[in-house]
Each structure stands twice: as C-alpha cells, then as structure tokens.
Amino acid sequence: MASPGFFQRQASARRNTGLLVVLFLTAVTLITLAVCLVGYMVTRSQTSALPFHYWLLSSHGLTTAGAVVALIGIGSLVRWVDLAGGGTRVARMVGARAIDPDTRDPEERKLRNIVEEMSIASGVPVPELYVMDHETGINAFVAGYTPGEAVMVVTHGALTQLNRDELQGVVGHEFSHILNGDMRINVRLIALLAGILMIGQIGQFLLRAGFYSSGRSRNRDGRAQAAMGLIGLALMLIGYVGVFFGRLIQSAVSRQREMLADASSVQFTRNPEGIGAALFKIGMKGGYLDTTSHASDMNHMCFGEAARMKFTSLLASHPPIDERINAIQPGLMARLRSRLRDTEPGSRLQGQGRNPDKAAIGDLVSQVVEPAQGTRKYSLSPLASSLTNESPTATPALSSRVGTVSADSERFASSLLKKLPSTFRNLLYTRAGAVQLCYGLVIYELTDPEQTERLALIPEHSVLGAQPELLGKLLPSLKELGERARFPMLELAMPALRKLDPEERDTLLANVQKLVQADNRVTLFELALTTFLWRHLGRGSGQVVPVKYRSFRQVKPAIEQVLSLFARAGTEAPEKAQALYQEAISGFGNGNDETMHSKITMQNLRAALNVLSQLSPLLKPAIIDACGHCISHDGKVEVKEYELMRLVADQLDCPMPPL
C-alpha cells in the first residue's frame, strides 16, 4: 500500500484552516465581550443600570458588538485583499529585495544553486528568491498560495553566516512547508491577525489623541478628551488580549508543523547536522527581524522566532531550539556544544575577555559542522532504471514518491545543473530566454528548414517573438541534453516566465499552441508541455483549488479520460491497452465492462485534470497509482511516460520527483 504521508499532511493542512477559523472566532467573541464591557461601564447610567447580559441585547450593546465585529472584519478583509498578490506581496511587505537570477554575488549564487537542486529533485517549480538585506539575524520563510507561485525569503544573516550544508538544511525545511501546503494557511493567518489587533491600534490612537490634547486644555472639552483617552487606554488593554490570542493562534497552528518540517529537511538532505547546526547558530546569534514592523505578523512563518516576546514557553510559534535539535537526532545538541568548545576559548564561553578584534562566537560556530564527504558522480536520467530488473509487483507505488526527495533524485539534479552550459543556464533566467526555451522544446528535434517554417508562424514581438540568435544558443544544448532534461529545464525557467504580464502569458501560450498544431498532431510531450504551461501561466493559475469532490463516483468520467490516455501510452497494442485500462479502472468500480475512450483531445484532458484537481487529497494517491500501473506494467518507464505522469501529478498539486 502506498505511503500516504504527503497526502495526509495535505489533508491536515486543510483541516488546520478550520481550526484557524474556530480560534479566530473565539478570539473575536472574547474581544467583543471585553469591548462591550467597557461600553457598558460608560453607558449604563443612560440605560437605568441594566444588568450586563440585558445591556448586551439593548440597542447600545448590539451597536457596540456590531461595531467591534465590523472593525475586526474590515481589518482582516483589508489585509486579506492586500495579500491577494501572494508570496510576492508578502516579500515586499517586509522590504525584501528580489535576487537577480543572474546574480554575481557568491552567497546569492550559493542559495540559488541549492534551491534549484531541491526544486528539480522534488518536482516543485523553482520559487522566486528574495533577501532581506538589512537583517543580520538568521531566518527564512516561504510564502504563497500555491507551489507554482511560491517565493522564498532569507535574511542577509542567513546568507553570510551559514555554510552550504546549513543553508541546505534551512532550504529543505522551507521546501517542506511548500510541499505540505503550509504556505496558504500562514498567509491567511496574517490577515486574520490583522483584524484581531485592530481594536488595540484604535485604542492607542484614542489614548494619544485624548491625553495629548487634554494636557493642553483645561475646559470641559479637555475633560471630554481625557475621557476619550481613558476609553483608549481600556481599548489598548483589550488590544493586548488580542495580541495574546494572536500569539496563541500562531503557536497552536505552527509548532507541530515546524517539527515536521525539521524532520522533512533531514529526509531531503540526509544530513541532520546541517539543519541542526543552523538551529544551533540561531540559538547563539538569534533570528529576530529588527528592521521590519511586521516581525510579529510573520513569526509563525519563519524558520526561527522572528519577534521577541514574553511568556515564550506558552506563546512561541516554534519549539525551543535545543528541543528541535535533539528531535532531529538524539544527542546532537551535546555534540554541537562539544565541537564549539573545541574551537572556542574557555574565557569566551564563560562570557569573559571578549575582544572586539577577535571573531564572535557565532562566527566560530561555522566550524561545528564537518565538511560533507565527497559523493560519487552519477549520470542519471529521470527514470527508474532498476524497474527493468524487478517484477512489476515489486515496483513501489508512485504515490509513495510524491512530496519526497531521494538520494538519486538529488544526485540527478546536481549532475544536470553541472552539465548545463553557463550561457544556456543564464538565458533561462531572462524573460526572453525562457520564452525561447518554450519554443525550442517544441522544435529542437526538427530539421533546420522545418524549424524556420514553424518559427515563421509566431508574430513578431520584442520578447515573445522568435529570436533566432537566442535559439541558436539554446537548441544545441537541448539536443545534447536530450529528453531527460526537458522538464527540469522548464522548471528552471519558471521564475522568469512568471514575470510575464498576463497578456504576455496569453500570447506565449497561443504561440506554443501554434507550434504544436503546425503538423496536425500532438505528441505526448507536446501535450505535457502545453498543459504544464497552461496550469502555471494561464489565467487564475495562482489561485487555490478548493476541495469539491470527496468520492470517486463524482469524478468517474474524468478518471476514465485520464486512464484511457495512460493505457494507450503504456502499450502500443490496442488489445493490450484495453486490458491495461480495465486493470487500472477496476479499482474505481465496474472496470470489467468498460471500454476506454476512443479519442482524448487536449481540451478534454484539461477539463478532466481540472476536475481531478478538486479531489480530496486523500483520494489522489489512487489516481497516481492507477496511472503509474499503466506506465510501469512492463517493468520499465519511458521518458515520454514519465513526462505524462509528471503532468498529471503536477495538475493534482502532487510534486513528482525524478524517478
């Protein structure tokens, strides 16, 4: 049976949204009652001293409660709309700077290389990268509503104070949040907390306005202003209740997911000391965000605590550092401390004799993690070559690979990136180069006259038009690297493609469609390419897909469409394809009497995948495994079959790593 870990975590992330709503409504109720109590104390003489519970139902009470709920709702709604821009908006909110894909800064290039390796190895589109230039603490976070439009933000301190192993551990931790669906709830939590904190902010305004003005006026107006200041003081105190509940909600939603992300980072990197040493450095140097006013809002999103607070043990969004380190590997904290003592003078460990001319303790912690042992070089394709030596029944279910990073997939990613020519790779970081890559993937196997004929179909445009000089630099590498690298190269180009305007994206999709349909036939790769681009660049591509179906019966026609295509892709013999289809569809009921669809058009496939994307996460593994059965029934997986499998997994928001 397939391991359901990834899919269970996806379902859990969606359930956490319900928990978040319950906690939010509880906080709103308590804050509303507290404000009503203040209103009751101010107005009860005007209502014949009614008991509080009767006052609540009076016009004064209902008006006060309605105003409080409206203020909280408006505060949350305004921030919700403000954050509709997704991860990019969050990054700009904290003053982060986008890292140029072609950056020459060695620390930024190190980060980009690590992120690209992790993206290819996990099957997740490369996120956009940002750096907070003025933050010396060690911290990082990811933000966005979907993996396809995720951004990763790191502090300058993380770039300069972490070595490669440690930074890789942090990146692995953040990729876990992308894979597990944590980003969406994190961004939404920022919006909800904005409303809860609204009452306290109004109280601070009234307090300043009332007492500042009353101090300059001694008449009746001055007394009225003083009364307004007292009301402001009361609201500000109630605001602290909102702060408390906001912290409590952050802690309830975040703590367990941070431990899970730490464990996933170890799984991805297979180096527990990398993330362990990164956490150790945070314990030594701190990870607080001091240059942004949103540190408290972002606390639950960050790798480590981003804001200072009281009652840390109760309200912290992250478990204690030593607890996280020892959870990664028992005894790791003691080993890290021992290695620090081996490199640090005893006087400084005791806090004595600090010499500003010497290196700080945090700088010496970089020696804690021993250099990683060299690994053998591999020339891998994204195919499981071992399948040819195993029986089909021994092949692991493909759904068990979703959301994971294996040693082989990471070596494949590292090997591929090293093989890419520098000019070729740099072109993928530009809008024009990424666009030409999309065209090149369609035509690179054609003859020169055929390429010229196809490119003539594309209208002239400064960015979206065919540019022979750029294609001349891309096509030779495409031919040399071959089909095994097509999807990874497309992933590398996604950050640049996402920078296209909506109209430019529509034009690009139309141009690729023209190239594909020029010969009146569509290959499996062309089908996968166009559907992948449509999924990530089409209108509404960054929107969250809601769960609409919780039964296979509701989506049976869509399942039949997809499995019909996979059965044909899995074998060339029509009678074998029909038998394969019946085996795959039997798990969804009435498979023996069903005939696969005679023709699957691109529009039909897109419609079917759009329906299946709305399935409950816990139902998706069966779809993945049924498709996997069709392409691996003969004990091997062709590149075109893998690309088709990757397409379906991508449409279902199930990151499929190289096999």
Side-chain angles (χ1 to χ4, degrees):
M1 182 176 178
S3 172
F6 168 81
F7 300 96
Q8 284 185 339
R9 294 194 294 271
Q10 288 278 314
S12 175
R14 291 183 180 271
R15 286 195 297 269
N16 278 341
T17 301
L19 171 64
L20 180 62
V21 171
V22 171
L23 293 174
F24 174 72
L25 293 177
T26 301
V28 170
T29 301
L30 294 175
I31 292 172
T32 301
L33 289 175
V35 175
C36 285
L37 183 60
V38 173
Y40 170 70
M41 299 301 293
V42 172
T43 64
R44 64 176 180 168
S45 61
Q46 304 173 16
T47 55
S48 303
L50 290 173
F52 179 64
H53 59 283
Y54 286 116
W55 181 90
L56 279 176
L57 299 178
S58 69
S59 59
H60 290 85
L62 293 176
T63 301
T64 303
V68 172
V69 173
L71 283 173
I72 294 176
I74 291 172
S76 293
L77 181 61
V78 169
R79 181 56 63 89
W80 192 291
V81 173
D82 179 50
L83 296 178
T88 301
R89 178 67 188 96
V90 176
R92 292 174 179 170
M93 184 178 74
V94 298
R97 169 182 60 85
I99 295 179
D100 184 358
D102 194 24
T103 178
R104 297 302 175 187
D105 183 276
E107 304 297 341
E108 294 177 359
R109 290 179 70 88
K110 177 178 68 176
L111 173 66
R112 176 162 292 282
N113 286 334
I114 292 173
V115 170
E116 289 178 345
E117 286 181 10
M118 192 72 69
S119 294
I120 294 174
S122 63
V124 173
V126 179
E128 293 186 57
L129 300 179
Y130 288 78
V131 60
M132 301 178 71
D133 287 314
H134 304 295
E135 294 290 353
T136 58
I138 302 171
N139 226 321
F141 67 86
V142 289
Y145 291 111
T146 64
E149 57 97 35
V151 305
M152 181 179 296
V153 181
V154 300
T155 62
H156 182 263
L159 284 183
T160 57
Q161 298 178 52
L162 300 182
N163 63 31
R164 195 182 196 282
D165 285 347
E166 295 159 356
L167 190 58
Q168 187 182 45
V170 173
V171 169
H173 175 102
E174 298 305 327
F175 261 82
S176 172
H177 288 311
I178 296 176
L179 293 168
N180 295 337
D182 296 334
M183 297 186 302
R184 182 167 60 252
I185 191 173
N186 284 340
V187 175
R188 286 175 173 171
L189 182 53
I190 296 176
L192 295 183
L193 292 179
I196 293 177
L197 301 178
M198 179 69 72
I199 300 300
Q201 294 170 348
I202 293 175
Q204 290 177 353
F205 172 78
L206 292 177
L207 181 65
R208 288 193 299 267
F211 285 144
Y212 176 76
S213 299
S214 63
R216 299 187 305 173
S217 178
R218 302 300 180 185
N219 52 23
R220 294 181 59 184
D221 289 340
R223 288 194 295 273
Q225 290 169 343
M228 182 175 64
L230 290 175
I231 295 175
L233 177 61
L235 292 180
M236 189 177 71
L237 293 176
I238 294 172
Y240 282 111
V241 176
V243 172
F244 174 83
F245 275 100
R247 292 286 196 184
L248 201 60
I249 292 173
Q250 285 180 322
S251 176
V253 172
S254 178
R255 279 198 174 199
Q256 186 61 36
R257 292 180 299 128
E258 292 302 317
M259 298 292 280
L260 176 62
D262 288 344
S264 297
S265 176
V266 175
Q267 175 193 354
F268 293 166
T269 64
R270 292 162 305 282
N271 181 11
E273 294 193 356
I275 185 173
L279 288 168
F280 191 67
K281 283 188 176 181
I282 289 181
M284 300 290 295
K285 297 281 289 183
Y288 301 124
L289 304 181
D290 296 323
T291 65
T292 174
S293 60
H294 298 285
S296 179
D297 301 338
M298 310 291 301
N299 196 56
H300 61 286
M301 301 180 65
C302 294
F303 178 69
E305 293 290 340
R308 298 173 175 84
M309 70 189 76
K310 297 180 179 179
F311 306 107
T312 303
S313 60
L314 175 64
L315 302 180
S317 299
H318 303 68
I321 292 292
D322 55 349
E323 182 180 328
R324 292 175 68 180
I325 293 176
N326 283 325
I328 291 171
Q329 190 176 81
L332 179 57
M333 186 69 180
R335 292 201 303 275
L336 294 173
R337 285 174 175 165
S338 176
R339 293 178 188 173
L340 178 62
R341 285 194 294 270
D342 291 342
T343 59
E344 182 71 357
S347 60
R348 195 171 303 161
L349 286 174
Q350 297 171 6
Q352 302 171 358
R354 187 167 182 83
N355 186 344
D357 295 330
K358 299 289 185 178
I361 290 179
D363 298 328
L364 293 172
V365 186
S366 61
Q367 304 173 36
V368 166
V369 177
E370 297 172 353
Q373 297 296 322
T375 57
R376 293 178 295 163
K377 293 184 178 180
Y378 291 81
S379 178
L380 300 175
S381 75
L383 309 180
S385 58
S386 60
L387 289 178
T388 57
N389 300 322
E390 298 178 354
S391 64
T393 57
T395 303
L398 284 185
S399 64
S400 66
R401 302 176 184 269
V402 171
T404 65
V405 176
S406 67
D408 285 342
S409 64
E410 189 171 343
R411 284 193 291 264
F412 165 72
S414 178
S415 174
L416 175 64
L417 290 175
K418 290 177 181 177
K419 290 181 179 179
L420 293 181
S422 178
T423 300
F424 178 93
R425 189 172 177 180
N426 290 337
L427 282 175
L428 302 187
Y429 298 148
T430 66
R431 292 196 309 159
V435 167
Q436 300 309 307
L437 173 71
C438 296
Y439 301 157
L441 287 171
V442 180
I443 67 171
Y444 80 95
E445 293 181 314
L446 303 178
T447 63
D448 291 344
E450 289 175 327
Q451 291 178 3
T452 303
E453 180 183 353
R454 299 287 178 85
L455 293 175
L457 300 174
I458 300 176
E460 293 186 2
H461 189 277
S462 59
V463 175
L464 302 173
Q467 301 184 28
E469 66 279 5
L470 294 183
L471 284 169
K473 299 176 181 179
L474 294 173
L475 293 177
S477 295
L478 288 175
K479 294 178 181 178
E480 180 182 353
L481 294 169
E483 56 187 6
R484 70 191 185 96
R486 292 186 296 205
F487 258 104
M489 288 185 288
L490 194 58
E491 289 170 346
L492 293 178
M494 283 310 298
L497 292 175
R498 285 195 291 263
K499 294 184 183 300
L500 295 173
D501 296 332
E503 295 76 14
E504 292 176 330
R505 294 185 181 190
D506 293 341
T507 302
L508 171 63
L509 295 176
N511 289 345
V512 172
Q513 195 74 19
K514 290 178 182 178
L515 294 177
V516 168
Q517 295 178 341
D519 58 357
N520 295 319
R521 69 184 185 91
V522 180
T523 66
L524 286 178
F525 171 70
E526 290 171 343
L527 180 63
L529 171 66
T530 53
T531 308
F532 181 88
L533 293 175
W534 166 76
R535 171 74 172 83
H536 291 284
L537 301 178
R539 299 280 179 168
S541 58
Q543 298 178 358
V544 178
V545 179
V547 172
K548 185 177 180 180
Y549 306 110
R550 301 183 182 276
S551 169
F552 291 125
R553 184 177 60 256
Q554 298 173 287
V555 297
K556 189 70 178 297
I559 295 175
E560 293 171 352
Q561 293 264 3
V562 172
L563 293 185
S564 295
L565 177 63
F566 270 80
R568 285 194 175 86
T571 180
E572 296 180 356
E575 63 279 3
K576 291 184 179 180
Q578 176 62 35
L580 191 58
Y581 170 78
Q582 290 184 351
E583 291 175 2
I585 199 68
S586 62
F588 304 97
N590 302 324
N592 294 332
D593 300 327
E594 297 189 20
T595 302
M596 62 181 178
H597 290 253
S598 58
K599 184 178 181 181
I600 308 297
T601 66
M602 190 177 300
Q603 290 73 20
N604 290 341
L605 178 62
R606 288 180 180 176
L609 292 175
N610 184 56
V611 169
L612 295 180
S613 68
Q614 301 175 69
L615 271 175
S616 167
L618 295 179
L619 298 181
K620 292 178 180 179
I623 306 293
I624 298 293
D625 290 337
C627 295
H629 172 73
C630 292
I631 64 174
S632 63
H633 73 101
D634 56 356
K636 60 181 179 179
V637 180
E638 303 291 343
V639 172
K640 63 179 182 179
E641 295 171 336
Y642 161 75
E643 290 174 337
L644 192 61
M645 184 72 252
R646 170 67 191 276
L647 162 68
V648 172
D650 179 72
Q651 304 301 299
L652 299 183
D653 283 329
C654 301
M656 177 64 70
L659 300 181

